[in-house]
Amino acid sequence: MDKTSLNITQDIIDKLKQILPQAFSENNIDFDKLKTILADYTITNERYNLSWAGKSNAYKLLQTPISDTLIPNVEQSIDWDNAQNIFIEGENLSVLKILQKSYYGKVKMIYIDPPYNTGSDSFIYPDKFKESIEEYLQKIGDKYEEGKITKSGLFRKNNKENGHYHSNWLNMMLPRLFLARNLLRDDGVIFISIDDHEQANLKLLCDEIFGGENFVGNIAWESKTKSQNTKTAYNKLQPKIEYVWLYTKNSYRNFNLKVIGEKNYSQTDENGVFRYYKIEVMNSEGMRGRNSMIYSILGISPPIEKQWKIGQELVSEFKARGDLLLLDGYPTIKMRPEDERSEITEPFWGLVTKELGTAESAKKELSEILENSKHGFETVKPVELVKKFIFHSTSKNDLILDFFSGSGTTAQAVMELNEEDGGNRTYICIQLDEEIDQKSEAFKAGYTKISDITHTRIKKVIQKIQQQRLDKPNSETQKQNLGFRKYTLADSNFKEWQENVQDSQELEQQILFHELPQYQNSDIYAILWELMLKNGIALDSIIKTINIDDVNIYYTNNIAFLLEKYSQSIQQTILALKPQKVIALDSIFIDDNVKTNASLKFSDENIEFETI
């Protein structure tokens, strides 16, 4: 069984092979044929593109499969058995790779607030490495004192004095955005918060990954109301807005709009209700000017340099049904509810003002949620801002992803919006287990990792909503499931075969080491979830446990998992379940003959059989 995450390169090749099989020769891409097929669309070396130091390595990092897994933390979750929301603690690049098989093309909306490249923000280098810390530091010319070690690797500053200051940030963002695009549905969207330091580079990077044609727009958010009055800043240009880049997965799409009223159909005739609509005019010059819109309606022509807003064909339809007349000498239509949208809606503006919340108000809001404990976050996004993006871009049962979760604003926004409109949207939030400085107020308040704050906020919001439900027991809105499952990024439970064997003695040692495929102290439940993830099963899946002779059979998504023991009674139980696939540990079979017989029996019943 494949024990690694989705092979991104192979995935791309498989898709290309489906579209252009003639561009392949002996299972490899024939670039000459590809250029011939796409002759009119090929480009020369002189082209407009974004390039930076380390870009090719960032793509290699993206394409490298990993064997890591997610360990379930049932005791740190809420209502595990029924929960649909997911909180994951760990480095997000690895987590995004792990999620590829289970969530490819399933996420409706992504919102991220990545670390801004201000010169003092921190990054993880490298994202995943097998060499020692000392070897890595020697390679990049850094000193240990400039960083600190976490479970995810080297945590260090990206100072402006660094010659690869912008490159480091782009190398961090590229693989994550590429993997994020994979997870989006075809009608999915991504919102990315950014400030002045990297907004230009982020636009070019997103054009490369999502396609420039899928750029929807730039939303400006009024993030500050207070000026900086320090000695060195008071007389400088004061930054007041931040930006949110908005891209779609495949094509431009429409968004949900807030209904603020209904049109009034106050008139009645034999055909029903209507309202009078005096046909409006607009300028006939400029890009929207058309001679075909300059014509006579019931003997009335538009004023000089003006044109009607509606065309002759539509006017003729109203005339044919008797709903066109002159009212006070002006062409007027009897507009009925079926002729138009009866709702009055508020536009989805590309500007969000301070009324929806600022960084200052969001920081205060977080303190209140955490019951006034110190949290250390200075650049928090308001819940109402994220809630607005979710409202405009999702339906009531969609999945939302945030892989730079920070304090957990997105999780709170999803839950609060669901309570308001009766939705059942779900979230996957990912946050790095970055250690908190022991001298900070947040550490003194009891938080040891940033993810502790995220976790605490989610639980506090759930408690708040539960209390609100008690205060309003007769609310008619659908009650969402507030529970969440927590997972932690971890190394695989299975041993990795070392390919660079030096001699026969080393080979013999490795064979003995792999006699048992999993590590001796591996938890059965952790092994189960690793196998589920690597078979594309979602993290909110319900597992049915069937106990036979004190041995558990785990069954979900038409797959049966055998992890403890194998016997004839277990075999009969599985055959009765009629699964599509059976996955078993090699170690549960007494010998190869028993495993071979099991394989043949399942094959006879058209059941796929895999062992690891």
Side-chain angles (χ1 to χ4, degrees):
M1 196 194 83
D2 182 11
K3 296 189 290 184
T4 61
S5 60
L6 181 71
N7 188 317
I8 300 299
T9 303
Q10 190 60 49
D11 179 63
I12 295 170
I13 290 172
D14 291 343
K15 286 184 171 65
L16 183 60
K17 195 179 292 184
Q18 289 177 5
I19 301 169
L20 292 171
Q22 58 271 42
F24 285 78
S25 177
E26 298 180 352
N27 214 33
N28 291 314
I29 300 174
D30 187 327
F31 284 98
D32 289 333
K33 285 184 180 179
L34 191 60
K35 288 179 181 179
T36 301
I37 296 167
L38 304 174
D40 292 339
Y41 296 92
T42 56
I43 55 177
T44 65
N45 288 330
E46 293 183 1
R47 62 187 186 278
Y48 178 71
N49 70 328
L50 176 64
S51 183
W52 67 86
K55 182 176 181 179
S56 59
N57 286 332
Y59 270 109
K60 287 178 183 177
L61 177 66
L62 156 70
Q63 294 160 3
T64 305
I66 61 171
S67 59
D68 294 4
T69 186
L70 301 177
I71 301 295
N73 291 313
V74 179
E75 70 284 351
Q76 295 183 30
S77 305
I78 292 179
D79 192 17
W80 174 278
D81 289 340
N82 302 302
Q84 295 174 296
N85 298 308
I86 307 296
F87 171 56
I88 302 172
E89 183 182 76
E91 191 276 315
N92 57 15
L93 180 61
S94 294
V95 175
L96 287 171
K97 288 187 176 185
I98 293 170
L99 295 181
Q100 294 295 301
K101 288 183 178 179
S102 300
Y103 290 94
Y104 199 109
K106 293 182 180 179
V107 176
K108 182 63 172 294
M109 172 204 162
I110 297 173
Y111 171 75
I112 56 171
D113 182 16
Y116 293 172
N117 199 18
T118 61
S120 59
D121 287 316
S122 302
F123 302 91
I124 295 299
Y125 289 105
D127 286 301
K128 194 68 180 175
F129 58 91
K130 298 299 181 185
E131 60 192 344
S132 70
I133 294 296
E134 290 76 15
E135 289 173 329
Y136 176 72
L137 293 174
Q138 186 177 13
K139 183 183 293 184
I140 63 172
D142 256 328
K143 295 180 181 178
Y144 176 79
E145 298 84 61
E146 293 178 357
K148 60 182 178 180
I149 307 302
T150 72
K151 292 179 182 178
S152 302
L154 177 64
F155 195 66
R156 65 185 285 273
K157 300 290 184 180
N158 185 37
N159 296 318
K160 286 185 178 180
E161 291 74 22
N162 189 327
H164 290 165
Y165 169 65
H166 293 289
S167 297
N168 287 338
W169 191 85
L170 289 166
N171 287 330
M172 184 270 293
M173 291 296 293
L174 183 148
R176 290 163 174 81
L177 290 178
F178 192 104
L179 293 169
R181 184 185 181 278
N182 281 351
L183 297 178
L184 281 176
R185 286 169 27 171
D186 286 344
D187 61 347
V189 298
I190 182 169
F191 295 82
I192 310 171
S193 283
I194 198 65
D195 70 351
D196 282 317
H197 293 87
E198 294 290 353
Q199 57 92 6
N201 286 331
L202 179 63
K203 173 64 170 62
L204 294 174
L205 177 61
C206 287
D207 283 349
E208 178 171 327
I209 293 173
F210 294 95
E213 68 277 10
N214 293 319
F215 171 63
V216 176
N218 177 18
I219 301 169
W221 165 53
E222 189 178 4
S223 63
K224 295 179 182 178
T225 56
K226 299 176 182 177
S227 63
Q228 298 180 37
N229 290 316
T230 61
K231 185 176 181 180
T232 57
Y234 80 97
N235 59 352
K236 303 294 192 300
L237 178 66
Q238 297 284 339
K240 191 174 180 63
I241 64 169
E242 293 180 16
Y243 311 96
V244 182
W245 293 117
L246 173 54
Y247 280 79
T248 58
K249 169 73 174 285
N250 279 330
S251 60
Y252 192 87
R253 53 158 290 188
N254 296 323
F255 294 90
N256 304 321
L257 298 179
K258 183 179 179 181
V259 177
I260 57 176
E262 293 283 336
K263 291 173 181 173
N264 183 20
Y265 301 94
S266 58
Q267 307 296 321
T268 306
D269 62 10
E270 64 276 8
N271 294 321
V273 297
F274 67 92
R275 69 181 182 92
Y276 287 117
Y277 166 70
K278 291 187 175 183
I279 300 176
E280 297 176 274
V281 296
M282 58 186 291
N283 291 330
S284 59
E285 297 180 351
M287 291 180 61
R288 298 180 63 189
R290 287 187 291 166
N291 288 332
S292 61
M293 302 293 280
I294 302 173
Y295 60 95
S296 174
I297 302 178
L298 299 179
I300 305 296
S301 296
I304 301 298
E305 297 183 351
K306 299 287 183 181
Q307 66 183 39
W308 299 117
K309 277 192 173 182
I310 59 176
Q312 299 182 55
E313 185 176 345
L314 184 57
V315 169
S316 296
E317 290 179 12
F318 284 110
K319 183 178 181 181
R321 73 183 200 194
D323 281 345
L324 179 68
L325 67 153
L326 290 177
L327 187 64
D328 297 329
Y330 196 91
T332 304
I333 288 171
K334 288 184 177 181
M335 192 70 74
R336 304 183 187 276
E338 59 269 22
D339 297 327
E340 60 181 349
R341 288 186 299 108
S342 59
E343 303 95 348
I344 301 172
T345 56
E346 182 181 274
F348 181 16
W349 291 111
L351 172 66
V352 181
T353 61
K354 61 186 178 184
E355 283 70 29
L356 216 59
T358 64
E360 298 106 331
S361 67
K363 181 180 175 182
K364 180 181 178 183
E365 181 181 38
L366 176 58
S367 294
E368 291 172 353
I369 287 289
L370 298 177
E371 299 175 352
N372 296 316
S373 66
K374 301 292 184 180
H375 51 74
F377 281 91
E378 295 295 330
T379 56
V380 188
K381 296 298 182 289
V383 173
E384 291 300 322
L385 176 72
V386 181
K387 196 188 297 184
K388 176 182 177 66
F389 298 154
I390 297 170
F391 165 78
H392 283 301
S393 60
T394 68
S395 298
K396 292 185 178 181
N397 292 294
D398 286 335
L399 174 62
I400 293 100
L401 169 66
D402 182 348
F403 51 90
F404 284 103
S405 289
S407 67
T409 304
T410 298
Q412 180 174 345
V414 170
M415 289 187 282
E416 287 191 2
L417 183 57
N418 281 341
E419 286 298 295
E420 292 172 11
D421 66 8
N424 194 36
R425 302 169 187 84
T426 53
Y427 61 78
I428 298 176
C429 287
I430 305 165
Q431 176 53 41
L432 177 70
D433 51 338
E434 174 189 339
E435 296 174 358
I436 292 176
D437 189 340
Q438 295 186 15
K439 297 178 181 179
S440 69
E441 293 297 320
F443 186 87
K444 294 174 184 176
Y447 303 111
T448 60
K449 308 185 297 290
I450 296 295
S451 50
D452 290 343
I453 297 176
T454 321
H455 189 215
T456 302
R457 181 180 192 170
I458 292 173
K459 291 194 293 185
K460 294 288 186 184
V461 172
I462 291 172
Q463 292 169 6
K464 174 186 172 185
I465 293 175
Q466 287 172 334
Q467 184 59 51
Q468 290 172 345
R469 288 180 178 180
L470 291 175
D471 295 339
K472 295 182 179 179
N474 298 321
S475 174
E476 295 180 0
T477 59
Q478 175 186 338
K479 297 294 190 296
Q480 65 176 312
N481 184 294
L482 293 168
F484 70 92
R485 294 182 177 184
K486 182 183 176 183
Y487 294 85
T488 303
L489 178 68
D491 292 334
S492 174
N493 293 286
F494 297 98
K495 300 168 185 174
E496 233 177 285
W497 184 268
Q498 302 302 316
E499 296 181 359
N500 299 322
V501 178
Q502 300 298 320
D503 51 44
S504 58
Q505 184 178 358
E506 191 174 335
L507 177 61
E508 183 179 352
Q509 289 174 348
Q510 191 166 182
I511 291 172
L512 289 173
F513 178 66
H514 283 271
E515 187 174 354
L516 188 70
Q518 69 273 21
Y519 288 102
Q520 192 71 45
N521 61 346
S522 293
D523 178 73
I524 286 292
Y525 204 50
I527 290 174
L528 172 63
W529 275 100
E530 178 168 358
L531 294 175
M532 287 172 59
L533 278 166
K534 287 168 182 176
N535 278 273
I537 297 175
L539 291 167
D540 63 346
S541 296
I542 303 297
I543 304 169
K544 181 179 181 181
T545 304
I546 304 164
N547 189 276
I548 302 293
D549 300 331
D550 292 327
V551 175
N552 288 328
I553 300 170
Y554 303 99
Y555 185 69
T556 184
N557 294 62
N558 284 321
I559 302 179
F561 295 87
L562 304 179
L563 310 178
E564 300 173 39
K565 188 179 178 181
Y566 190 79
S567 66
Q568 285 299 313
S569 57
I570 290 172
Q571 177 178 284
Q572 292 304 315
T573 302
I574 292 173
L575 292 174
L577 287 172
K578 297 181 179 179
Q580 292 178 354
K581 181 189 287 190
V582 172
I583 297 175
L585 293 180
D586 251 345
S587 55
I588 70 171
F589 297 97
I590 298 173
D591 53 43
D592 286 344
N593 288 332
V594 174
K595 186 171 77 170
T596 300
N597 289 334
S599 177
L600 291 172
K601 185 61 179 177
F602 290 134
S603 179
D604 288 342
E605 299 295 329
N606 293 317
I607 297 172
E608 188 179 348
F609 180 60
E610 289 184 356
T611 61
I612 184 169

Coordinates of all heavy atoms in Angstrom, one line a residue, residues 341-398:
R341 N -35.6 40.8 -10.2 CA -35.3 40.4 -8.9 C -36.1 41.3 -7.9 O -35.9 42.5 -8.0 CB -33.8 40.5 -8.6 CG -32.9 39.4 -9.2 CD -31.5 39.5 -8.7 NE -30.9 40.8 -9.0 CZ -30.6 41.7 -8.1 NH1 -30.9 41.5 -6.8 NH2 -30.0 42.9 -8.5
S342 N -36.9 40.7 -7.1 CA -37.7 41.6 -6.2 C -36.9 42.0 -5.0 O -37.3 43.0 -4.4 CB -39.0 40.8 -5.8 OG -38.6 39.6 -5.1
E343 N -35.8 41.4 -4.7 CA -35.0 41.8 -3.6 C -34.2 43.0 -3.9 O -33.7 43.2 -5.0 CB -34.1 40.7 -3.1 CG -34.7 39.4 -2.7 CD -34.7 38.4 -3.9 OE1 -34.4 38.8 -5.0 OE2 -35.1 37.2 -3.7
I344 N -34.0 43.9 -2.9 CA -33.0 45.0 -3.0 C -31.8 44.5 -2.2 O -31.9 44.1 -1.0 CB -33.6 46.2 -2.3 CG1 -34.9 46.7 -3.0 CG2 -32.6 47.4 -2.4 CD1 -35.6 47.8 -2.3
T345 N -30.7 44.4 -2.9 CA -29.5 43.9 -2.3 C -28.4 44.9 -2.2 O -28.3 45.9 -2.9 CB -29.0 42.7 -3.2 OG1 -28.7 43.2 -4.5 CG2 -29.9 41.5 -3.2
E346 N -27.5 44.6 -1.2 CA -26.3 45.4 -1.0 C -25.2 44.9 -1.8 O -24.9 43.7 -1.7 CB -26.0 45.4 0.5 CG -24.8 46.3 0.9 CD -24.6 46.2 2.4 OE1 -25.2 47.0 3.1 OE2 -23.8 45.4 2.8
P347 N -24.4 45.7 -2.6 CA -23.3 45.1 -3.4 C -22.2 44.5 -2.5 O -22.1 44.9 -1.4 CB -22.8 46.4 -4.2 CG -23.9 47.4 -4.1 CD -24.6 47.1 -2.8
F348 N -21.5 43.6 -3.1 CA -20.3 43.1 -2.5 C -19.1 44.0 -2.8 O -18.4 43.9 -3.8 CB -20.0 41.7 -3.0 CG -18.8 41.0 -2.4 CD1 -18.2 41.5 -1.2 CD2 -18.2 39.9 -3.0 CE1 -17.1 40.9 -0.7 CE2 -17.1 39.2 -2.5 CZ -16.5 39.7 -1.3
W349 N -19.0 45.0 -2.0 CA -18.0 46.1 -2.3 C -16.6 45.6 -2.1 O -16.3 44.8 -1.2 CB -18.2 47.3 -1.3 CG -19.5 48.0 -1.6 CD1 -20.6 48.1 -0.8 CD2 -19.8 48.9 -2.7 NE1 -21.6 48.9 -1.4 CE2 -21.1 49.4 -2.6 CE3 -19.1 49.2 -3.9 CZ2 -21.7 50.2 -3.5 CZ3 -19.7 50.0 -4.8 CH2 -21.0 50.5 -4.6
G350 N -15.7 46.2 -2.8 CA -14.2 45.9 -2.7 C -13.6 46.8 -1.6 O -12.4 46.9 -1.6
L351 N -14.4 47.3 -0.7 CA -13.9 48.2 0.4 C -14.7 47.8 1.6 O -15.9 47.7 1.6 CB -14.1 49.7 0.1 CG -13.8 50.6 1.3 CD1 -12.3 50.6 1.6 CD2 -14.3 52.0 1.0
V352 N -13.9 47.5 2.7 CA -14.5 47.1 4.0 C -14.0 48.2 5.0 O -12.9 48.4 5.2 CB -14.1 45.7 4.5 CG1 -14.7 45.4 5.8 CG2 -14.4 44.7 3.4
T353 N -15.0 49.0 5.5 CA -14.7 50.1 6.4 C -14.5 49.6 7.8 O -14.8 48.5 8.2 CB -15.7 51.2 6.3 OG1 -17.0 50.6 6.7 CG2 -15.9 51.7 4.9
K354 N -14.1 50.6 8.7 CA -13.8 50.3 10.1 C -15.1 49.9 10.8 O -15.0 49.3 11.9 CB -13.3 51.6 10.7 CG -14.2 52.8 10.7 CD -13.6 54.0 11.2 CE -14.5 55.2 11.1 NZ -13.8 56.5 11.5
E355 N -16.3 50.1 10.3 CA -17.5 49.7 11.0 C -17.6 48.2 11.2 O -18.3 47.8 12.1 CB -18.7 50.3 10.2 CG -19.0 51.7 10.4 CD -18.0 52.6 9.7 OE1 -17.5 52.2 8.7 OE2 -17.8 53.8 10.2
L356 N -16.9 47.5 10.3 CA -16.9 46.0 10.4 C -15.9 45.5 11.4 O -15.8 44.3 11.7 CB -16.7 45.4 9.0 CG -17.5 44.1 8.8 CD1 -19.0 44.4 8.9 CD2 -17.2 43.6 7.4
G357 N -15.0 46.4 11.9 CA -14.0 46.0 12.8 C -12.6 46.3 12.3 O -12.3 46.3 11.1
T358 N -11.7 46.7 13.2 CA -10.3 47.0 12.9 C -9.4 46.0 13.6 O -9.8 45.2 14.4 CB -10.0 48.4 13.3 OG1 -10.1 48.5 14.7 CG2 -10.9 49.4 12.7
A359 N -8.1 46.1 13.3 CA -7.1 45.3 14.0 C -7.2 45.5 15.5 O -7.1 44.6 16.4 CB -5.7 45.5 13.5
E360 N -7.4 46.8 15.9 CA -7.5 47.2 17.3 C -8.7 46.5 18.0 O -8.6 45.9 19.1 CB -7.5 48.7 17.5 CG -6.3 49.4 17.0 CD -6.5 50.1 15.7 OE1 -7.4 49.7 14.9 OE2 -5.8 51.1 15.5
S361 N -9.9 46.6 17.3 CA -11.1 46.1 17.9 C -11.0 44.6 17.9 O -11.6 43.9 18.9 CB -12.3 46.5 17.1 OG -12.3 46.0 15.8
A362 N -10.4 44.0 16.9 CA -10.3 42.5 16.9 C -9.4 42.0 18.0 O -9.6 40.9 18.6 CB -9.7 42.1 15.5
K363 N -8.3 42.7 18.3 CA -7.4 42.4 19.4 C -8.2 42.4 20.8 O -8.1 41.5 21.6 CB -6.3 43.3 19.5 CG -5.3 43.1 20.6 CD -4.2 44.1 20.5 CE -3.2 44.0 21.7 NZ -2.1 45.0 21.7
K364 N -9.1 43.4 20.9 CA -9.9 43.5 22.1 C -10.9 42.4 22.2 O -11.2 41.8 23.2 CB -10.6 44.9 22.2 CG -11.4 45.1 23.4 CD -12.1 46.4 23.3 CE -13.0 46.6 24.5 NZ -13.8 47.9 24.5
E365 N -11.5 42.1 21.0 CA -12.5 41.0 20.9 C -11.9 39.7 21.3 O -12.5 38.9 22.1 CB -13.0 40.9 19.5 CG -14.0 39.9 19.2 CD -14.5 39.9 17.7 OE1 -13.6 40.1 16.9 OE2 -15.7 39.7 17.5
L366 N -10.6 39.4 20.9 CA -10.0 38.1 21.3 C -9.7 38.1 22.8 O -9.9 37.0 23.4 CB -8.6 38.0 20.5 CG -7.8 36.8 20.9 CD1 -8.5 35.5 20.6 CD2 -6.5 36.9 20.0
S367 N -9.3 39.2 23.4 CA -9.1 39.2 24.8 C -10.4 38.9 25.6 O -10.4 38.2 26.6 CB -8.6 40.6 25.2 OG -7.3 40.9 24.7
E368 N -11.5 39.4 25.1 CA -12.8 39.2 25.7 C -13.2 37.7 25.6 O -13.7 37.1 26.6 CB -13.9 40.0 25.1 CG -13.7 41.5 25.5 CD -14.7 42.4 24.7 OE1 -15.4 41.9 23.8 OE2 -14.7 43.6 25.0
I369 N -12.9 37.1 24.4 CA -13.2 35.7 24.3 C -12.4 34.8 25.2 O -12.9 33.8 25.8 CB -13.0 35.2 22.8 CG1 -14.1 35.8 21.9 CG2 -12.9 33.7 22.7 CD1 -15.4 35.1 22.0
L370 N -11.2 35.2 25.4 CA -10.2 34.5 26.3 C -10.4 34.9 27.7 O -9.5 34.6 28.5 CB -8.8 34.6 25.8 CG -8.5 34.1 24.4 CD1 -7.0 34.4 24.0 CD2 -8.8 32.6 24.3
E371 N -11.4 35.6 28.0 CA -11.7 36.1 29.4 C -10.6 37.0 29.9 O -10.1 36.8 31.0 CB -12.0 34.9 30.3 CG -13.2 34.1 29.8 CD -13.5 32.8 30.6 OE1 -12.6 32.5 31.5 OE2 -14.5 32.2 30.4
N372 N -10.2 37.9 29.0 CA -9.2 38.9 29.4 C -7.8 38.4 29.7 O -7.0 39.1 30.3 CB -9.7 39.8 30.5 CG -11.0 40.6 30.1 OD1 -11.0 41.1 29.0 ND2 -12.0 40.6 31.0
S373 N -7.5 37.2 29.3 CA -6.1 36.7 29.5 C -5.2 37.2 28.4 O -5.7 37.5 27.3 CB -6.1 35.1 29.5 OG -6.4 34.6 28.2
K374 N -4.0 37.4 28.7 CA -3.0 37.9 27.7 C -2.8 36.9 26.6 O -2.6 35.7 26.9 CB -1.7 38.3 28.4 CG -1.8 39.3 29.5 CD -2.2 40.7 29.0 CE -2.2 41.7 30.1 NZ -2.6 43.1 29.6
H375 N -2.8 37.4 25.3 CA -2.6 36.4 24.2 C -1.5 36.7 23.3 O -1.0 35.9 22.6 CB -3.9 36.3 23.4 CG -4.4 37.7 22.9 ND1 -3.8 38.4 21.9 CD2 -5.5 38.4 23.4 CE1 -4.5 39.5 21.8 NE2 -5.5 39.6 22.6
G376 N -1.0 38.0 23.3 CA 0.2 38.3 22.5 C 0.0 38.6 21.1 O 0.9 38.9 20.3
F377 N -1.3 38.5 20.6 CA -1.6 38.7 19.2 C -1.8 40.2 18.9 O -2.6 40.9 19.6 CB -2.8 38.0 18.7 CG -2.6 36.5 18.4 CD1 -2.8 35.6 19.4 CD2 -2.2 36.1 17.1 CE1 -2.6 34.2 19.1 CE2 -2.0 34.8 16.8 CZ -2.2 33.9 17.8
E378 N -1.0 40.8 18.0 CA -1.1 42.2 17.7 C -1.9 42.5 16.4 O -2.4 43.6 16.2 CB 0.3 42.8 17.6 CG 1.1 42.8 18.9 CD 0.4 43.7 20.0 OE1 -0.2 44.7 19.6 OE2 0.6 43.3 21.2
T379 N -2.0 41.5 15.5 CA -2.6 41.7 14.2 C -3.7 40.7 14.0 O -3.7 39.9 13.1 CB -1.5 41.6 13.1 OG1 -0.9 40.2 13.2 CG2 -0.4 42.6 13.2
V380 N -4.7 40.9 14.8 CA -5.9 40.0 14.7 C -6.9 40.5 13.7 O -7.0 41.7 13.5 CB -6.6 39.9 16.1 CG1 -7.7 38.8 16.1 CG2 -5.5 39.6 17.2
K381 N -7.5 39.6 13.0 CA -8.6 40.0 12.0 C -9.9 40.0 12.7 O -10.2 39.0 13.5 CB -8.6 39.1 10.8 CG -7.3 39.2 10.0 CD -7.1 40.6 9.4 CE -5.8 40.7 8.5 NZ -4.6 40.6 9.3
P382 N -10.8 40.9 12.4 CA -12.1 41.0 13.1 C -13.0 39.8 12.6 O -12.9 39.4 11.4 CB -12.8 42.3 12.6 CG -11.6 43.1 12.0 CD -10.6 42.1 11.6
V383 N -13.7 39.2 13.5 CA -14.6 38.1 13.1 C -15.6 38.5 12.0 O -15.9 37.8 11.1 CB -15.4 37.6 14.4 CG1 -16.4 36.6 14.0 CG2 -14.4 37.0 15.4
E384 N -16.1 39.7 12.1 CA -17.1 40.2 11.2 C -16.5 40.3 9.7 O -17.2 40.1 8.8 CB -17.7 41.6 11.6 CG -18.6 41.5 12.8 CD -19.8 40.6 12.6 OE1 -20.4 40.6 11.5 OE2 -20.2 39.9 13.6
L385 N -15.2 40.6 9.6 CA -14.6 40.6 8.3 C -14.6 39.3 7.7 O -15.0 39.1 6.5 CB -13.1 41.2 8.5 CG -12.3 41.2 7.2 CD1 -12.8 42.3 6.3 CD2 -10.8 41.4 7.6
V386 N -14.1 38.3 8.4 CA -14.0 36.9 7.9 C -15.4 36.4 7.7 O -15.7 35.7 6.7 CB -13.2 36.0 8.8 CG1 -13.1 34.6 8.3 CG2 -11.8 36.6 9.1
K387 N -16.3 36.7 8.6 CA -17.7 36.3 8.4 C -18.3 36.8 7.1 O -19.1 36.1 6.4 CB -18.5 36.7 9.6 CG -19.9 36.0 9.8 CD -20.7 36.7 10.9 CE -20.1 36.6 12.2 NZ -21.0 37.2 13.3
K388 N -18.0 38.0 6.8 CA -18.5 38.6 5.5 C -18.0 37.8 4.3 O -18.8 37.5 3.4 CB -18.0 40.1 5.4 CG -18.3 40.8 4.1 CD -17.8 42.2 4.1 CE -18.1 42.9 2.8 NZ -19.5 43.2 2.6
F389 N -16.7 37.5 4.3 CA -16.2 36.7 3.2 C -16.8 35.3 3.1 O -17.1 34.9 2.0 CB -14.7 36.5 3.3 CG -13.9 37.8 3.3 CD1 -12.7 37.9 4.0 CD2 -14.4 39.0 2.7 CE1 -11.9 39.1 4.0 CE2 -13.7 40.2 2.7 CZ -12.5 40.2 3.4
I390 N -17.1 34.7 4.2 CA -17.7 33.4 4.2 C -19.2 33.5 3.7 O -19.6 32.7 2.9 CB -17.7 32.8 5.6 CG1 -16.3 32.5 6.1 CG2 -18.5 31.5 5.7 CD1 -16.2 32.1 7.6
F391 N -19.9 34.6 4.1 CA -21.3 34.8 3.7 C -21.3 34.9 2.2 O -22.2 34.3 1.5 CB -21.9 36.0 4.4 CG -23.1 36.5 3.7 CD1 -24.3 35.8 3.9 CD2 -23.1 37.6 2.8 CE1 -25.5 36.3 3.3 CE2 -24.3 38.0 2.2 CZ -25.5 37.4 2.5
H392 N -20.5 35.8 1.6 CA -20.5 36.1 0.2 C -20.1 34.9 -0.7 O -20.6 34.8 -1.8 CB -19.6 37.3 -0.1 CG -20.2 38.6 0.3 ND1 -21.4 39.1 -0.2 CD2 -19.7 39.5 1.1 CE1 -21.6 40.3 0.3 NE2 -20.6 40.6 1.1
S393 N -19.4 34.0 -0.2 CA -18.8 33.0 -1.1 C -19.2 31.5 -0.8 O -18.7 30.6 -1.5 CB -17.2 33.1 -1.0 OG -16.8 32.8 0.4
T394 N -20.0 31.3 0.2 CA -20.4 29.9 0.5 C -21.9 29.7 0.6 O -22.6 30.6 0.8 CB -19.7 29.4 1.8 OG1 -20.4 30.1 2.9 CG2 -18.2 29.6 1.9
S395 N -22.3 28.4 0.5 CA -23.6 28.0 0.8 C -23.6 27.4 2.2 O -22.6 27.3 2.8 CB -24.1 27.0 -0.2 OG -24.2 27.5 -1.5
K396 N -24.8 27.1 2.7 CA -24.9 26.8 4.1 C -24.3 25.4 4.5 O -24.3 25.1 5.7 CB -26.4 26.8 4.5 CG -27.0 28.2 4.5 CD -28.4 28.3 5.0 CE -28.9 29.7 5.0 NZ -30.3 29.8 5.6
N397 N -23.9 24.6 3.6 CA -23.3 23.3 3.9 C -21.9 23.1 3.4 O -21.4 22.0 3.3 CB -24.2 22.2 3.4 CG -25.5 22.1 4.2 OD1 -25.6 21.8 5.3 ND2 -26.6 22.4 3.4
D398 N -21.2 24.2 3.1 CA -19.9 24.2 2.5 C -18.8 24.0 3.6 O -18.9 24.3 4.7 CB -19.6 25.4 1.7 CG -20.4 25.4 0.4 OD1 -20.8 24.3 -0.1 OD2 -20.7 26.5 -0.1

